[in-house]
Amino acid sequence: DIVMTQSPLSLPVTPGEPASISCRSSQSLLHNNGYNYLNWYLQKPGQSPQLLIYLGFTRASGVPDRFSGSGSGTDFTLKISRVEAEDVGVYFCMQALQSFTFGPGTKVEIK
Amino acid sequence: EVQLVESGGGLVQPGRSLTLSCAASGFTFNDYAMHWVRQAPGKDLEWVSGISWNSGNIGYADSVKGRFTISRDNAGNSLFLQMNSLKTEDTAFYYCARGDAGSYLGDNWFDPWGQGTLVTVSS
């Protein structure tokens, strides 16, 4: 199984400031079609996970452009250019190259 | 609006059975693979099972293989998860989620997810 790890697991943020979350996989997620099978989700308090980024860097429909995904192979990053209060919650990465596994989540909260 | 609504959760004793349902609306249900994902307290999200658009391909996590059965009713726009021989470690919120392709083997992401239904296995 592909194991996903994230850091940090807790991230206090200041509104208006940038934030960054790292996700690493135990095996490369780069498919021979050139895409990385890595997705990012946000689970807001009391809600189900919502898709933010798929295939490493593509924003899902309706996701603000302050969110961006980057990376390749085994190392990936989710960046929020300017955090807003509505961005609090738990961020998960998920791999879809071999079955489906998730990272442990990074809890983002306002300082 | 694309919507998934789970139901059927509750408190059940170890060893007993429970069936979850997921009602889909707002999209052509039989165009997509569907999945169940669970979230146990204090644990990572775990993919449980997936089923292709025509039920031709089905898969399970090792932790539930032989005990859980996924199925779908395309005419009724519904997804099901029959859970037998339940264990305390099956306690979790169970979410249904839509894949992005017709075959669950080809799915790259899950979107959207339902609101979840809580299954508690306890004596």
Side-chain angles (χ1 to χ4, degrees):
Chain A
D1 289 4
I2 297 178
V3 178
M4 307 298 292
T5 57
Q6 291 181 230
S7 63
L9 298 184
S10 178
L11 181 60
V13 297
T14 300
E17 295 295 309
S20 179
I21 299 170
S22 173
C23 173
R24 288 187 173 176
S25 57
S26 60
Q27 300 175 38
S28 176
L29 301 183
L30 181 61
H31 192 276
N32 56 19
N33 62 10
Y35 288 103
N36 286 280
Y37 282 38
L38 185 284
N39 309 313
W40 289 97
Y41 291 87
L42 165 61
Q43 186 171 27
K44 295 183 178 181
Q47 297 184 18
S48 57
Q50 58 187 85
L51 180 66
L52 292 177
I53 303 284
Y54 59 92
L55 296 179
F57 65 91
T58 303
R59 276 190 301 276
S61 176
V63 174
D65 61 7
R66 63 179 181 273
F67 291 94
S68 63
S70 63
S72 184
T74 61
D75 292 321
F76 300 89
T77 303
L78 177 71
K79 293 183 179 178
I80 310 173
S81 59
R82 292 175 304 279
V83 173
E84 297 190 6
E86 66 183 24
D87 299 336
V88 299
V90 181
Y91 290 78
F92 297 95
C93 58
M94 167 196 151
Q95 69 81 19
L97 186 66
Q98 294 178 16
S99 189
F100 312 97
T101 49
F102 296 84
T106 295
K107 186 174 184 178
V108 171
E109 51 192 3
I110 301 297
K111 282 183 182 175
Chain B
E1 179 193 5
V2 175
Q3 197 169 14
L4 300 170
V5 179
E6 301 93 336
S7 60
L11 174 63
V12 61
Q13 293 179 327
R16 304 298 288 258
S17 299
L18 200 64
T19 298
L20 306 182
S21 301
C22 172
S25 61
F27 66 99
T28 304
F29 184 67
N30 59 14
D31 277 351
Y32 293 90
M34 297 294 296
H35 301 262
W36 289 98
V37 180
R38 67 185 180 183
Q39 188 172 34
K43 296 208 167 182
D44 297 358
L45 286 160
E46 179 186 22
W47 174 80
V48 173
S49 182
I51 184 169
S52 297
W53 70 278
N54 63 353
S55 305
N57 284 302
I58 288 174
Y60 300 96
D62 288 343
S63 58
V64 306
K65 202 172 293 183
R67 299 187 299 122
F68 288 12
T69 301
I70 191 172
S71 62
R72 64 190 295 163
D73 173 9
N74 285 345
N77 292 337
S78 295
L79 176 72
F80 305 100
L81 185 68
Q82 181 178 349
M83 305 183 293
N84 298 330
S85 304
L86 281 162
K87 305 176 181 180
T88 55
E89 52 263 42
D90 294 320
T91 294
F93 271 99
Y94 284 74
Y95 298 98
C96 71
R98 187 184 71 176
D100 67 292
S103 170
Y104 92 92
L105 294 170
D107 276 338
N108 304 305
W109 61 84
F110 303 151
D111 180 52
W113 300 45
Q115 87 289 349
T117 187
L118 178 61
V119 173
T120 303
V121 184
S122 174
S123 54

